[in-house]
Amino acid sequence: LHANNYRDIDSDRRAGIRTLATLLGPKLSLQYYYLLLGSAHFTALMAGYRHGCAGALASLAVLPQTIWLCRRIHNRATLRTQDEETAKSTMMFGVALGLGIIINPAGEATRLGFFVPALVVAVLKVFAN
């Protein structure tokens, strides 16, 4: 939702629509977007650490996608579909994290617990477009 609000920040301001993006302005709004994406990874890893679940590491399979989103949002030509791409990435994050926890719920990381979610994320990336 925030990617959509960031995209529409100028038109929303002109129309008098108040969103978090219009209140923060363009620079802080971008920082907030980065915070939203980054905190998902951080929270998953900290929860996994706290509960002894190495499967949370599988969320890192989506980290390249997250970095891509953070770079992509600066391109006006692709900004129109940023909200859609963010939603796809959120789905990939949830699938990777869920599979990682199911495959590797204990404290010791295994290759299978990371590579299966990473493979699924790669397949989703290819076929979600």
Side-chain angles (χ1 to χ4, degrees):
L1 182 60
H2 188 69
N4 179 58
N5 289 340
Y6 176 76
R7 180 195 66 206
D8 297 339
I9 198 168
D10 293 330
S11 60
D12 285 351
R13 272 196 183 141
R14 285 192 302 274
I17 298 171
R18 296 181 70 188
T19 64
L20 186 57
T22 60
L23 294 173
L24 291 174
K27 278 188 174 182
L28 284 176
S29 189
L30 273 176
Q31 297 300 315
Y32 180 64
Y33 181 73
Y34 302 151
L35 177 68
L36 288 171
L37 295 176
S39 64
H41 290 282
F42 179 78
T43 303
L45 293 173
M46 289 300 101
Y49 176 77
R50 169 77 172 92
H51 296 286
C53 177
L57 291 171
S59 68
L60 293 176
V62 187
L63 191 58
Q65 180 76 7
T66 301
I67 293 167
W68 175 75
L69 285 172
C70 290
R71 294 176 56 98
R72 182 183 195 276
I73 198 166
H74 294 279
N75 185 347
R76 283 279 173 202
T78 59
L79 190 56
R80 183 180 59 79
T81 58
Q82 186 75 18
D83 53 345
E84 178 184 338
E85 293 300 328
T86 303
K88 289 177 189 176
S89 296
T90 302
M91 179 208 38
M92 291 178 206
F93 179 87
V95 168
L97 182 59
L99 282 173
I101 291 169
I102 289 168
I103 294 169
N104 207 25
E108 190 167 325
T110 64
R111 288 183 186 174
L112 186 67
F114 183 79
F115 288 114
V116 168
L119 178 63
V120 171
V121 165
V123 169
L124 287 173
K125 176 66 178 163
V126 169
F127 290 106
N129 291 327

